[in-house]
Amino acid sequence: MFTGSIVALVTPMQKDGSIDKKALHHLVEWHIASGTDALVVTGTTGESATLTPDEKYDVISKVVEQVAHRIPVIAGTGTASTQQTIEHTHHAKVAGADAALIVTPYAIKPSQNGLYEHYKHIAEKIALPIILYNVPGRTACDLLPDTIARLAKIHNIIGIKEATGNPERAVAISQLCGKNFPIYSGDDATALDLMLNGAKGVISVTSNVAPRKMHDFCSAALTGNKALAEKLHTELMPLHKKLFLESNPVPTKWALHKMGLIPEGIRLPLLPLDTQYHAELQTALLEAGLLHK
C-alpha cells in the first residue's frame, strides 16, 4: 500500500517546451532527500495531456531507473480512450512502475456503467495495480461511490485518488468499500479532513514546492498527531490556495522556477503564470520560507 505525501510531479521543460531531463533528475533526488513518500509522474500535474506516448514512456522509464526502488513510482496513464489507456498502462508496466494512476475519461462523459467497463477492461488487460482518479472539475466526468464500490472488487484496482474537494464524498466511498480500499486525497486543502477520516495520504500539488513540510504533515495526520497536523495544515494553507491562482500546474511551475529548481518552460495551450499573480505567489513562497529576499 502507498501512504503519506505522494507528489504529483511536474514535468520540467525548457522554454521551447522540450523536456529537461537534467532538471527532472534533480527534482526526483530532491524529493527523495526531502522525505516524499512516493512519486506520481506523467499525471495531470505533469502535463500528461500534452506529452507524446514516447515522451511519457521515456519519463516513466528514466524515473523508475533513477529511483531504483527507494520509493514507489506511480505512472499517470489515463486518457479519454480505453484502448490508448491500455497501451499507456502496458508501457508503464514494462518500464517498471509500481502502479498506474488512471484518470476518468475526460470530455466524453460516459455513463457509470461505461466507466465501470472502462476500468474493468483495463484492469483485466494489464496486470498492474491501478489507482482510480476522480477529478470531475477537470474532466466533466464524476465517478460515483456506487461505481467505485463495484470497481473495488476487482483485485488489481487498489485505491482511488479522490479530488472532488468534498470530504463527505470520501466518507461515502469508505463506507461502501471498507477500510481495505485506500483513499488518497487529490485536493491539498481538504487532505487533513480526509486523512483524519481514514485516507492513506495525499497525491499532492503543494508537495512539489514544500516536500518536507508535506511529508511531516502527512506523517502527523496518519499517526494520530492531530495537533501537529492541524498546525502544519494551517501553515501550508496559503500555498494550497496560491498554487491554484491559475490552472495547475501553471503556478507550481512558476514557483519552482523562482526557487531555482526548473526552467520556465510549459506547453501550450498553457502559458506561464500571468504577471498579475507574481507578487501574490511570491509572497506566499517567502512566508513559507521557500524563497529568500
Side-chain angles (χ1 to χ4, degrees):
M1 181 192 299
F2 311 109
T3 61
S5 178
I6 304 167
V7 65
L9 195 67
V10 302
T11 303
M13 297 173 182
Q14 293 288 344
K15 197 170 183 178
D16 64 1
S18 60
I19 295 174
D20 189 320
K21 295 175 184 177
K22 184 177 179 180
L24 177 63
H25 182 94
H26 289 317
L27 270 188
V28 168
E29 291 302 322
W30 182 57
H31 276 285
I32 293 173
S34 300
T36 295
D37 297 291
L39 303 169
V40 169
V41 295
T42 66
T44 50
T45 303
E47 296 173 81
S48 58
T50 61
L51 299 180
T52 68
D54 286 344
E55 286 175 328
K56 290 180 183 179
Y57 182 67
D58 191 39
V59 168
I60 296 165
S61 299
K62 281 182 166 49
V63 172
V64 167
E65 182 180 7
Q66 176 185 347
V67 169
H69 304 291
R70 287 177 288 173
I71 59 175
V73 177
I74 301 164
T77 62
T79 73
S81 159
T82 302
Q83 185 55 43
Q84 286 181 4
T85 302
I86 289 170
E87 292 169 6
H88 291 328
T89 307
H90 169 71
H91 291 156
K93 179 178 171 61
V94 171
D98 295 287
L101 178 69
I102 301 182
V103 70
T104 53
Y106 36 84
I108 293 177
K109 295 187 177 182
S111 68
Q112 292 300 303
N113 283 336
L115 286 169
Y116 174 79
E117 292 296 335
H118 170 75
Y119 282 111
K120 177 175 178 286
H121 197 61
I122 297 163
E124 289 175 345
K125 290 287 185 179
I126 309 296
L128 185 69
I130 290 170
I131 300 172
L132 309 172
Y133 177 14
N134 189 39
V135 57
R138 292 184 74 103
T139 63
C141 176
D142 194 359
L143 186 63
L144 297 178
D146 286 344
T147 307
I148 295 165
R150 294 172 65 196
L151 289 167
K153 296 175 183 177
I154 299 172
H155 73 93
N156 60 324
I157 294 180
I158 63 162
I160 182 167
K161 177 182 177 182
E162 168 48 37
T164 61
N166 178 6
E168 293 179 2
R169 174 63 71 88
V171 171
I173 295 167
S174 182
Q175 289 174 343
L176 286 169
C177 299
K179 294 182 178 179
N180 292 327
F181 187 73
I183 297 171
Y184 304 96
S185 173
D187 177 65
D188 285 298
T190 56
L192 177 61
D193 285 339
L194 266 66
M195 284 191 285
L196 292 179
N197 284 284
K200 300 303 180 184
V202 54
I203 298 177
S204 169
V205 171
T206 302
S207 59
N208 274 285
V209 301
R212 174 56 65 183
K213 185 168 279 192
M214 281 299 299
H215 167 77
D216 292 346
F217 159 66
C218 289
S219 295
L222 293 172
T223 57
N225 190 341
K226 185 177 179 182
L228 178 58
E230 289 177 339
K231 176 180 179 293
L232 295 173
H233 175 68
T234 299
E235 293 174 2
L236 286 160
M237 186 56 73
L239 285 175
H240 296 336
K241 293 179 178 179
K242 302 306 181 186
L243 290 174
F244 286 88
L245 286 166
E246 288 192 320
S247 294
N248 178 48
V250 172
T252 301
K253 292 192 103 173
W254 185 87
L256 287 168
H257 176 60
K258 290 293 289 185
M259 293 166 67
L261 292 168
I262 66 171
E264 58 186 314
I266 197 162
R267 282 190 181 174
L268 288 169
L270 296 178
L271 292 172
L273 185 69
D274 193 290
T275 55
Q276 67 176 309
Y277 300 119
H278 287 191
E280 198 172 345
L281 181 50
Q282 182 165 319
T283 297
L285 294 171
L286 285 166
E287 291 175 349
L290 300 172
L291 286 181
H292 303 288
K293 292 182 179 180

